[in-house]
Amino acid sequence: MASFALSMVDFHYADPYTSVFQQVSLKIDTAWRTALVGSNGRGKTTLLGLLAGELSPASGSLLAPRQVFTFPYPVSCPADMTLHVIMDAIAPFRSWEARLEALAGRADDASLQEYGTLLERFEAAGGYEVEAHIEREVMQLAMPADILRRPFNTLSGGERTRALIVALFVRRD
């Protein structure tokens, strides 16, 4: 299993100088679903920024072998149907489907090559099963099935959070 590892990491913001971490050592297995909980201003977002490669430690070493997905997922089109918001949080299934459809009518070599590559990516991400997996997770979270057909921006705050949690459970990476 891969892991994130911090060894003797120091981090501070320069302007104004604010020390956030001093000699922190930590290991997180990538197979874990991990949450950070703590009071405001204690460094949760900074730690995520370090793990995601958005920030660099002042000293110490950081190993981050995989991409980091933070929660909640930023929703670019809140008026979209909740199912589509969840799908977008997992992978760009809808854009892949649109591109596959556009390529389907072409017979040139470049289009066929792109179609094959994109189809493999779609299948590897679970594109054919994603809606069924989402529906199953919605049921497991005791959410009403019709929530997937409602615009995301009409959901309550709690419903939005649970909908985005569904994406974390369905995501394959």
Side-chain angles (χ1 to χ4, degrees), residues 35-57:
L36 295 175
V37 180
S39 301
N40 290 342
R42 299 296 181 201
K44 299 178 298 295
T45 302
T46 300
L47 178 60
L48 288 175
L50 287 166
L51 294 175
E54 297 164 359
L55 300 172
S56 298

Side-chain angles (χ1 to χ4, degrees), residues 112-172:
L112 291 172
Q113 177 66 35
E114 182 182 352
Y115 186 91
T117 300
L118 191 54
L119 184 60
E120 286 178 16
R121 187 177 305 152
F122 181 82
E123 290 173 343
Y128 290 117
E129 306 89 26
V130 68
E131 287 188 39
H133 288 277
I134 290 169
E135 289 170 1
R136 184 187 72 233
E137 292 299 332
V138 164
M139 288 177 37
Q140 292 292 320
L141 290 172
M143 298 168 70
D146 73 330
I147 202 167
L148 295 173
R149 306 291 175 234
R150 292 173 36 204
F152 186 76
N153 61 1
T154 66
L155 306 183
S156 71
E159 289 172 325
R160 289 179 192 185
T161 298
R162 289 189 297 164
L164 293 175
I165 286 173
V166 167
L168 292 175
F169 291 154
V170 174
R171 185 176 210 109
R172 286 193 171 180

Side-chain angles (χ1 to χ4, degrees), residues 1-6 26-31 50-53 62-69 173:
M1 285 290 155
S3 63
F4 294 93
L6 285 78
L26 169 69
K27 186 173 182 180
I28 303 170
D29 191 298
T30 57
L50 287 166
L51 294 175
L62 169 66
L63 173 66
R66 296 190 56 176
Q67 185 176 6
V68 175
F69 299 99
D173 46 27

